[in-house]
């Protein structure tokens, strides 16, 4: 795919569910590393992106689990993932890191508390959410939706977000995303 895009400047149009999302940044990171000129087509969500891809209106798409049923059916081909680890549902598909790109961008769900929340309350929330995420019903529900579960306490989440902000900040500035 990368070789095709390099040999065919501006012929590849890719879709995402919007500008500035991890899916968009992942594609632009590859373009920057490889000297590719391709066109972003932002859609107002994953469903329209999937429809455009299946309809042949775009060459590729970067997104989320919305594509999984079509990948399993064989109507779409998953080339790579941009998470830190390979997906359990698609263990043979490489990550960007596996392919030699220094890019990782996991989708995250975060619970936040107001600044100044007492440490004892933050600790209690950390413990409670961690316990809830170990519940077999929760694990099964997340697996059905294709979500990988990684628990980070408040300290580790803050560290992860600071690192991500620094990584993505450079790319966002380069792309001139407001």
């Amino acid at each position: 795919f990368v070789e095709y895009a390099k040999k065919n400047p501006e012929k590849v149009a890719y879709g995402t569910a919007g500008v500035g999302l991890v899916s968009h940044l992942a594609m632009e990171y590859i373009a920057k590393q490889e000297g590719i000129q391709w066109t972003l087509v932002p859609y107002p969500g994953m469903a329209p992106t999937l429809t455009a891809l299946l309809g042949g209106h775009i060459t590729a798409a970067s997104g989320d689990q919305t594509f999984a049923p079509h990948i399993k059916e064989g109507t779409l081909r998953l080339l790579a993932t941009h998470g830190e680890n390979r997906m359990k549902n698609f263990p043979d598909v490489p990550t960007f890191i596996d392919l030699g790109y220094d890019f990782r961008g996991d989708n995250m769900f975060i619970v936040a508390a107001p600044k100044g929340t007492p440490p004892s309350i933050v600790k209690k929330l950390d413990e409670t959410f961690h316990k809830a995420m170990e519940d077999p019903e929760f694990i099964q529900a997340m697996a059905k939706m294709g979500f990988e579960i990684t628990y980070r306490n408040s300290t580790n989440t803050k560290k992860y977000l600071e690192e991500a902000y620094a990584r993505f900040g450079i790319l966002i500035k380069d792309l001139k995303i407001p």
Side-chain angles (χ1 to χ4, degrees), residues 29-109:
Y29 177 85
I30 296 297
K32 184 178 176 187
Q33 295 301 307
E34 297 291 348
I36 295 171
Q37 296 174 350
W38 50 30
T39 303
L40 164 66
V41 182
Y43 291 92
M46 286 311 305
T49 306
L50 176 61
T51 301
L53 182 59
L54 291 171
H57 304 287
I58 52 177
T59 313
S62 181
D64 62 21
Q65 290 292 340
T66 305
F67 301 140
H70 300 279
I71 295 164
K72 288 180 181 177
E73 291 171 3
T75 54
L76 293 178
R77 181 174 168 213
L78 182 59
L79 302 175
T81 62
H82 43 72
E84 189 170 354
N85 301 305
R86 288 187 181 208
M87 296 176 68
K88 289 178 186 166
N89 291 347
F90 303 103
D92 296 333
V93 176
T95 65
F96 279 17
I97 294 168
D98 292 335
L99 295 173
Y101 299 108
D102 186 21
F103 184 94
R104 69 183 193 283
D106 298 303
N107 289 323
M108 296 178 61
F109 296 96

Side-chain angles (χ1 to χ4, degrees), residues 98-132:
D98 292 335
L99 295 173
Y101 299 108
D102 186 21
F103 184 94
R104 69 183 193 283
D106 298 303
N107 289 323
M108 296 178 61
F109 296 96
I110 299 172
V111 177
K115 184 176 182 176
T117 300
S120 62
I121 301 296
V122 172
K123 182 180 178 196
K124 180 69 174 169
L125 288 169
D126 276 342
E127 292 169 354
T128 302
F129 282 110
H130 191 200
K131 183 178 178 184

Side-chain angles (χ1 to χ4, degrees), residues 154-173:
S154 58
T155 302
N156 292 338
T157 298
K158 183 178 182 203
K159 181 180 175 190
Y160 177 89
L161 292 174
E162 287 168 349
E163 290 171 358
Y165 185 81
R167 278 194 328 268
F168 294 140
I170 294 166
L171 188 54
I172 288 169
K173 285 178 185 173

